[in-house]
Amino acid sequence: MSLFETSDRAKKYQADLLEFMDSHIYPAEEVYDEQMRASGDPHFQPPIIEELKAEARKRGLWNLFHPHPEWGPGLTNLEYAPLAEIMGRSHIASEACNCNAPDTGNMEVLTLFGTDEHKEKYLKPLLEGTMASAFAMTEPAVASSDATNIELRMERDGDEYLLNGRKWFASNAMHKNCKVLIVMGKTDPTAAPHRQQSMMVVPIDAPGVTVVRNLPVFGYADREGHAEITFENVRVPAKDVLKGEGEGFAISQARLGPGRIHHCMRAIGAAERALELMCRRAQSRVTFGRPVADRSNVQDWIAEARIDIEMIRLLTLKAAHLMDTVGNKEARTEIAAIKVAAPNIALKIIDRAIQVHGGAGVTEDFPLAMMYAHLRTLRLADGPDEVHKRAIARQELRQYRDAATAVVG
Ligand SMILES: Cc1cc2nc3c(=O)[nH]c(=O)nc-3n(C[C@H](O)[C@H](O)[C@H](O)COP(=O)(O)OP(=O)(O)OC[C@H]3O[C@@H](n4cnc5c(N)ncnc54)[C@H](O)[C@@H]3O)c2cc1C
C-alpha cells in the first residue's frame, strides 16, 4: 500500500492507461517518427496523432487532467499524478490524451476566468482536441523570470486595448491547430507592482499579431514550436480581459501551480523510461567478457536512479496531496521544491542512461537525447531553478527572522 493511496477510480484509469500505452502509444512512436520525417515539415500534424486521439477518447482516457467534473473526469491532483507520470514515458502520449501543456493550463484558465463566449469559442474546441493554444508571457527584452518586468503594453482605447510588444518562447504557437493566445502584458505601469499586469485572450490571426520565427531547442525544432511573436497595434476588445484589469499576476499564479506539478509528474515518467532503457542496454552489451550491467559503477547508477525516482515521486505526491487538501497557495513550497528536484534528477538519470548506451545514446535511434533536451528546458520553463530556490529559502528564513532580531537586539 502506498503512503498516498489513490482511489479505485484512479486505479482503473491507471490500468487502462498502461494498457493503452502498450497496445497503442509505444508501437506508434516509430510511425510518428516516420510520418514526421516523410513530411519534411517540423510542425506537421502527423495523422497518427489524430488516430491516437480518437482511440484515447473512445477509451475514456481524455482530458484526465481537468479538475472540474463538468469538463473532465474531475480527478484530484493526487489521482492525476500517476496518470501524468505514465503519459510522461512517451513524448506522444500527453497529446494523444489531450493532456499536453500548455493547452492544459490554458484550459484551466479559461474554465476559471473565461467568459461564456471564451468557453464556447475556445474552451470547448480545446477540450475536444480540435484546437491548440499558447501562453505568451516571456519577453526577449526583459528578464522574465521576474514577471513584474513584463513590458508588453496594453493601453486602454475606448472599449478596446491596444497591444504593442514582443514575446518569445510561446510554446505551441507553431502547432497547426493553434488559434488562440493568452497574453500577459502591462495595463497600468503606475499601479502596485503585482497589479500592473493583465491577461487577455487574443486570436493568433488578429491583425497586428506576427509569428516571427520558431526557436529551436538544442537544435530540435519541436513540433508544437516555441515562437517569437510581435504585437503591433493589436486591438483587443475589453471583454477579452481575463478576470479583470490588474489580475494578470494572480491568474499566472493560479495557472502555474498545477502546470508545474504536471511537468514534474511527466518528468518522473521520463526518468522511469530512461532507467528501463539503461537496465535493458546494460544487460545486453558485453565488454571485456562481462555484461556492462555487472560493473559496480553501473549498478550504482541503477540503484541511485531507483532511490531518486522513489524520492521525487513521494515529494510530487505530497505536493499533489497538499494542493488537494490545503490549496495551491499553501502547497507552494512543496510545488517549488519538486519543480527543482524532478527535472534535475530526471536529467541525471537520462544522462547516465545515455552513457550506458554509448554512442547510440546520443542518436535518434533511442529517445534519450530528445528526452534530455526536453528535460533540460524544464529547469527554465515555468520559472528557472534559482527563482524556485529563492522562494523556498525565503520561506525557510522567515521562521528565523524574529529570532535573529532577538539575538542582535
Ligand atoms: C522550451 C521552453 C519553453 C517555454 N515555454 C514558455 C511559454 O509557453 N510561455 C512563456 O511565456 N514562456 C515560456 N518559456 C520561457 C521561460 O518561462 C523563461 O525562459 C523563464 O521564465 C526565464 O526567463 P528568462 O528566459 O527571461 O530568463 P531571465 O529572467 O533573464 O533569467 C536568466 C537566469 O538568471 C538566473 N536568475 C534569475 N533570477 C535569479 C535569482 N533570483 N537568483 C539567482 N539567479 C537568478 C536564472 O539562472 C535564470 O535562468 C519557455 C522556455 C523554454 C526554454
Side-chain angles (χ1 to χ4, degrees):
M1 173 162 159
S2 149
L3 184 59
F4 296 103
E5 192 61 20
T6 189
S7 64
D8 288 344
R9 192 166 75 116
K11 280 186 198 147
K12 169 91 173 76
Y13 277 117
Q14 279 177 45
D16 291 351
L17 191 54
L18 283 169
E19 205 287 311
F20 180 55
M21 296 289 291
D22 287 338
S23 62
H24 286 77
I25 296 287
Y26 299 129
E29 286 179 346
E30 219 173 291
V31 182
Y32 173 92
D33 289 344
E34 274 162 25
Q35 291 183 351
M36 287 306 293
R37 252 194 306 273
S39 79
D41 171 4
H43 308 297
F44 179 65
Q45 185 65 2
I48 186 72
I49 289 285
E50 296 306 322
E51 286 165 32
L52 290 171
K53 279 161 69 176
E55 184 62 31
R57 201 161 182 185
K58 205 168 78 189
R59 291 167 174 243
L61 298 170
W62 193 252
N63 292 333
L64 298 169
F65 73 97
H66 209 297
H68 299 271
E70 191 191 342
W71 305 101
L75 298 174
T76 62
N77 287 294
L78 192 59
E79 288 174 318
Y80 180 59
L83 307 179
E85 180 187 323
I86 294 167
M87 288 184 272
R89 294 171 63 93
S90 170
H91 60 287
I92 55 176
S94 293
E95 186 173 359
C97 298
N98 213 38
C99 290
N100 50 312
D103 286 327
T104 45
N106 291 340
M107 285 187 256
E108 285 189 45
V109 166
L110 292 172
T111 303
L112 291 172
F113 309 113
T115 61
D116 288 346
E117 190 190 337
H118 294 145
K119 288 183 176 143
E120 197 55 40
K121 217 165 148 184
Y122 302 117
L123 180 59
K124 277 193 180 165
L126 281 164
L127 287 161
E128 294 283 318
T130 54
M131 189 185 278
S133 61
F135 179 66
M137 180 159 90
T138 305
E139 300 180 3
V142 293
S144 304
S145 46
D146 176 356
T148 60
N149 287 336
I150 294 305
E151 279 180 343
L152 180 134
R153 191 72 175 94
M154 298 171 148
E155 218 165 347
R156 185 88 194 209
D157 183 24
D159 287 343
E160 295 176 323
Y161 286 86
L162 214 51
L163 271 52
N164 280 290
R166 183 181 290 262
K167 297 286 179 184
W168 72 349
F169 283 106
S171 300
N172 228 23
M174 311 299 291
H175 194 292
K176 292 286 183 234
N177 299 340
C178 186
K179 297 278 185 292
V180 66
L181 308 170
I182 295 181
V183 183
M184 169 115 147
K186 220 163 233 187
T187 33
D188 183 1
T190 63
H194 295 95
R195 296 286 311 165
Q196 296 180 3
Q197 306 79 7
S198 300
M199 274 194 207
M200 297 186 189
V201 177
V202 184
I204 199 165
D205 61 358
V209 175
T210 309
V211 176
V212 179
R213 60 168 176 153
N214 178 51
L215 300 161
V217 170
F218 290 113
Y220 289 98
D222 290 342
R223 181 162 57 83
E224 73 281 17
H226 310 285
E228 180 166 344
I229 305 176
T230 56
F231 297 76
E232 287 172 282
N233 294 323
V234 179
R235 293 200 164 270
V236 178
K239 64 180 171 49
D240 291 332
V241 177
L242 289 168
K243 196 170 188 261
E245 214 186 281
E247 296 288 346
F249 222 89
I251 301 173
S252 73
Q253 293 313 309
R255 182 186 186 283
L256 289 173
R260 281 176 182 145
I261 190 169
H262 293 172
H263 280 313
C264 298
M265 296 164 182
R266 287 187 290 264
I268 298 169
E272 280 283 10
R273 180 118 189 238
L275 174 57
E276 179 187 327
L277 290 168
M278 176 154 58
C279 292
R280 289 186 191 284
R281 187 74 171 185
Q283 280 175 325
S284 70
R285 304 285 277 193
V286 175
T287 61
F288 309 102
R290 280 161 60 191
V292 171
D294 277 8
R295 309 290 163 187
S296 58
N297 73 306
V298 173
Q299 292 190 1
D300 219 47
W301 293 349
I302 290 168
E304 280 184 15
R306 173 51 60 215
I307 294 165
D308 284 346
I309 289 174
E310 296 300 322
M311 290 197 298
I312 52 172
R313 183 181 286 124
L314 273 177
L315 183 52
T316 306
L317 293 177
K318 181 186 175 191
H321 170 72
L322 287 175
M323 289 164 80
D324 292 335
T325 51
V326 291
N328 298 353
K329 198 167 173 226
E330 289 300 313
R332 63 190 182 281
T333 303
E334 282 76 9
I335 296 173
I338 196 60
K339 174 62 179 60
V340 176
N344 277 288
I345 284 175
L347 276 169
K348 186 169 85 175
I349 296 170
I350 295 166
D351 182 59
R352 287 172 167 181
I354 288 174
Q355 194 67 16
V356 166
H357 278 71
V362 295
T363 68
E364 289 181 359
D365 289 2
F366 290 88
L368 294 164
M370 190 189 59
M371 279 160 70
Y372 189 91
H374 172 65
L375 263 297
R376 181 63 184 83
T377 70
L378 274 193
R379 293 193 49 212
L380 297 160
D382 282 1
D385 289 358
E386 293 74 19
V387 171
H388 295 298
K389 286 185 184 169
R390 172 179 178 266
I392 298 167
R394 280 158 61 103
Q395 183 67 21
E396 201 70 27
L397 286 166
R398 198 161 290 147
Q399 309 171 48
Y400 305 103
R401 198 184 291 144
D402 292 345
T405 316
V407 171
V408 172

